[in-house]
Amino acid sequence: MRALNFVGAAALAVALAAPSGAMAQGLFAPAVTVNGSAVTNYELDQRAKLLAAFNTPGDPAELAREQLVEEKLKLQALDRAGMQLTDEGLTTAMEEFAQRANLSLDAFLAQLASQGIARETLRDFVKVNASWRDYIRRRYGQTIEVSEAEIDAGLAQQSGPDGVELLLNEIIIAAPPPRAAAAMARAETISKLRSTAAFEAQAREVSALPTRDQGGRLDWAALSNYPAGLHGLLLSLEPGEVTPPIPIRNGVALFQLRDIREAPQAPAEIAEIDYAQFAIPGAGTAQALAEAARIDAVTDTCDDLYGVARGLPEERLVRRSVPPSALPRDLGLELARLDRDEASWNLTSDGALLFTMLCARTPAAATDEAARSAMRNQIVSRKLTARADILLAELRAQARIAP
């Protein structure tokens, strides 16, 4: 009797400990199928718990379904390609994943287990994503090209120190030697203005720049665009205040601060300014202005100016790449207004109108090979991710997903 009672009690304990047949069947029943391959309710529940443990934004249940459907598509593509992560590779990938949380793999798994997440759940998550990453690299890696211009642009967008943007009004009064004293006296008067409307009225009357038509108004520009020698002066202004007269070659410049703000993304420190100048005889004549407009219409980049200068004396076209500190003040101010491959013809020299084009601003990091290599890798990664997204969208469009 005791033996029977013991056997009965043991059977009862096993029965109570094990889930009922209906419960087990529901837990492992297909919740969704992808091309006939099932995602079970258990997988959905485990993935939702994993996402919650990772503090993933959004609804864990919805994200779990989305991820698992995509992973089925990825696994099917990997099977067709004959790619499979080795056990050693999988262990390494899981260890690297755990290291992101500054934990060993065993400690990481123990922490997940305390939240009801099985080892196999992390294993499957890491396995498919590591394998997919390798597959995308093998499939598209040789087709990805990154130009030096893309690297330069990427480095230029990286945050630098002291990111400040200024909203300025400008006036440049022409001051050739016979009129230098009168121009300076007028500039002294304007520098005492505190009214934006009054400054803009003066700009329309006396400024030698095309911006006179809009009262000397400039768009937002990074402080770093302007000559370094003016940074302290410009930062000392309060809105409405005007700089003292700034002497430049054959002229005098004035700036009024309209507003100042922190840049959405601070510009990188500039190491070199690449610019070109093409001399057009007859400064101040309608013919020279018309020729400058014609050149602007037929050139898109600095390299196009070589075609314009073909057959002309070499000194007509000058192209230089220099540190910002080496620029003459008038040229530095002119280039500050320009974006890459943009031109102006406000400057003159020795009786010639200077068609001036900004070729590039080279960030300091652009000369650092390690920084260039890191940026190249970032760009390659972004392009591979874009290719992967397109492929996954195609796989989803062709798939049979139910329900």
Side-chain angles (χ1 to χ4, degrees):
M1 178 65 72
R2 285 181 181 176
L4 289 175
N5 287 341
F6 176 79
V7 172
L12 178 61
V14 171
L16 291 173
S20 68
M23 288 176 61
Q25 185 176 5
L27 190 61
F28 293 100
V32 58
T33 60
V34 182
N35 294 326
S37 181
V39 175
T40 67
N41 289 316
Y42 175 75
E43 290 174 300
L44 286 175
D45 178 69
Q46 282 284 294
R47 179 57 60 87
K49 288 179 178 177
L50 185 68
L51 293 172
F54 293 164
N55 294 318
T56 307
D59 183 347
E62 291 182 7
L63 289 173
R65 186 184 190 282
E66 181 74 12
Q67 285 188 2
L68 289 168
V69 166
E70 288 185 353
E71 288 174 16
K72 286 294 183 184
L73 294 170
K74 291 176 181 178
L75 285 169
Q76 290 162 8
L78 291 168
D79 287 343
R80 290 192 294 271
M83 288 191 62
Q84 187 173 1
L85 195 64
T86 64
D87 291 341
E88 181 180 353
L90 177 57
T91 300
T92 299
M94 292 176 69
E95 289 173 344
E96 290 174 353
F97 195 91
Q99 286 172 5
R100 298 178 193 175
N102 296 317
L103 294 171
S104 67
L105 179 57
D106 288 342
F108 191 63
L109 289 171
Q111 193 172 92
L112 293 180
S114 70
Q115 299 177 61
I117 302 167
R119 174 192 179 96
E120 291 74 20
T121 299
L122 179 68
R123 179 202 64 196
D124 293 345
F125 176 78
V126 171
K127 181 177 181 179
V128 66
N129 286 291
S131 300
W132 181 253
R133 185 172 61 248
D134 291 344
Y135 171 63
I136 292 299
R137 286 173 180 163
R138 291 188 189 183
R139 177 164 177 166
Y140 298 113
Q142 298 300 317
T143 68
I144 299 296
E145 296 181 356
V146 179
S147 69
E148 295 301 313
E150 287 178 290
I151 295 174
D152 290 340
L155 291 170
Q157 292 170 3
Q158 288 184 329
S159 294
D162 302 325
V164 172
E165 290 184 337
L166 303 175
L167 193 60
L168 299 175
N169 286 343
E170 66 173 355
I171 292 175
I172 288 185
I173 304 174
R179 302 207 309 269
M184 182 59 71
R186 185 66 178 267
E188 289 284 0
T189 301
I190 295 173
S191 70
K192 295 177 173 58
L193 297 175
R194 294 295 180 268
S195 163
T196 300
F199 187 95
E200 292 177 359
Q202 290 293 314
R204 292 186 179 92
E205 182 178 344
V206 301
S207 184
L209 297 173
T211 54
R212 63 180 175 270
D213 294 335
Q214 59 258 27
R217 285 179 168 250
L218 297 173
D219 292 331
W220 285 102
L223 175 66
S224 60
N225 282 13
Y226 294 94
L230 297 182
H231 289 184
L233 178 60
L234 294 173
L235 288 174
S236 71
L237 298 176
E238 296 291 335
E241 287 187 330
V242 181
T243 62
I246 302 169
I248 60 175
R249 184 173 52 182
N250 294 322
V252 57
L254 296 144
F255 292 94
Q256 182 183 50
L257 180 67
R258 285 160 38 216
D259 203 356
I260 185 171
R261 69 184 183 188
E262 184 177 350
Q265 184 168 13
E269 179 185 356
I270 301 301
E272 291 184 333
I273 301 288
D274 182 9
Y275 71 95
Q277 288 186 307
F278 180 73
I280 304 171
T285 66
Q287 291 86 347
L289 292 172
E291 177 64 4
R294 183 194 71 80
I295 294 172
D296 189 49
V298 299
T299 54
D300 295 319
T301 69
C302 287
D303 290 343
D304 295 335
L305 288 172
Y306 293 112
V308 173
R310 187 178 294 116
L312 298 175
E314 290 185 4
E315 61 269 19
R316 291 281 300 277
L317 176 62
V318 174
R319 183 167 180 177
R320 295 189 177 98
S321 186
V322 300
S325 59
L327 292 170
R329 180 172 284 178
D330 59 337
L331 179 56
L333 290 173
E334 192 64 27
L335 293 172
R337 303 181 185 92
L338 302 179
D339 293 324
R340 180 172 181 150
D341 297 324
E342 190 175 11
S344 70
W345 43 97
N346 299 317
L347 301 178
T348 62
S349 178
D350 299 326
L353 184 66
L354 298 179
F355 183 92
T356 303
M357 181 175 280
L358 176 65
C359 310
R361 292 187 178 94
T362 304
T367 60
D368 183 335
E369 286 306 314
R372 296 188 70 81
S373 178
M375 178 53 64
R376 181 186 297 276
N377 290 338
Q378 288 183 34
I379 295 171
V380 168
S381 180
R382 287 200 298 265
K383 291 188 175 185
L384 286 173
T385 298
R387 296 283 184 91
D389 289 343
I390 292 171
L391 176 59
L392 192 58
E394 292 174 351
L395 293 174
R396 179 181 282 275
Q398 298 166 5
R400 302 183 309 278
I401 301 173

